[in-house]
Amino acid sequence: KLTEALQWYGAAFRDPMMLQPPEWFQAFMYSEAFLQLPFFPVAAYAFLKGGCRWIRTPAIIYSTHVATTLFAILAHILFHDFSKSEHPGPETQRERLVLLSIYSPYLLIPLLLLFTMLYNPHYNQVEKRKRK
């Protein structure tokens, strides 16, 4: 069933990167599996518990990493010549923009997290330590 869903998605949205990922895209998928996914339960704990300022540095690392990978992916979508792909890729500007709109939340959400960590007073206050 998952393979069928992946095949449907790849054909419907003309995303050959998911059907036959280039090596650089595979590297991003491995970094997602081994670096980004473990961050989610840690971040969920910190944000649900509240008051966990220690999440700031891991969140900044996570968000800048994801944003950096997404810049490469979005540039590939916009500028790559997909005519040589084994699986059909976007041919028109509209198809490129549709595919771009599918990937763009994966850039926008980490950027929102980054700006929150950098500019929200709760997360960027210097904590004064008590001396005993």
Side-chain angles (χ1 to χ4, degrees):
K1 294 290 182 182
L2 289 176
T3 306
E4 291 172 10
L6 182 62
Q7 294 294 327
W8 170 84
Y9 165 78
F13 294 100
R14 304 183 71 84
D15 187 355
M17 292 183 296
M18 292 303 291
L19 298 175
Q20 186 180 16
E23 288 78 10
W24 62 267
F25 193 80
Q26 289 177 16
F28 289 166
M29 292 188 325
Y30 285 120
S31 72
E32 182 173 354
F34 296 113
L35 299 173
Q36 295 174 25
L37 287 178
F39 172 76
F40 295 151
V42 173
Y45 168 79
F47 293 130
L48 290 173
K49 182 177 183 217
C52 298
R53 290 191 173 116
W54 54 263
I55 194 64
R56 183 177 192 259
T57 300
I60 290 171
I61 293 168
Y62 163 81
S63 59
T64 54
H65 171 72
V66 173
T68 302
T69 62
L70 259 294
F71 282 124
I73 293 168
L74 298 179
H76 184 74
I77 291 168
L78 287 173
F79 304 117
H80 183 70
D81 178 10
F82 289 98
S83 64
K84 297 173 183 73
S85 297
E86 183 179 320
H87 300 279
E91 294 175 359
T92 66
Q93 192 67 18
R94 182 184 182 285
E95 289 173 345
R96 288 179 189 268
L97 292 175
V98 167
L99 191 54
L100 194 78
S101 70
I102 292 169
Y103 281 90
S104 62
Y106 298 100
L107 173 64
L108 297 176
I109 292 169
L111 287 178
L112 287 172
L113 178 62
L114 177 63
F115 290 131
T116 299
M117 293 298 117
L118 292 176
Y119 297 110
N120 186 314
H122 176 74
Y123 291 106
N124 65 13
Q125 288 177 347
V126 176
E127 193 171 313
K128 295 179 182 175
R129 298 192 184 258
K130 296 178 183 176
R131 292 188 173 198
K132 289 185 180 187

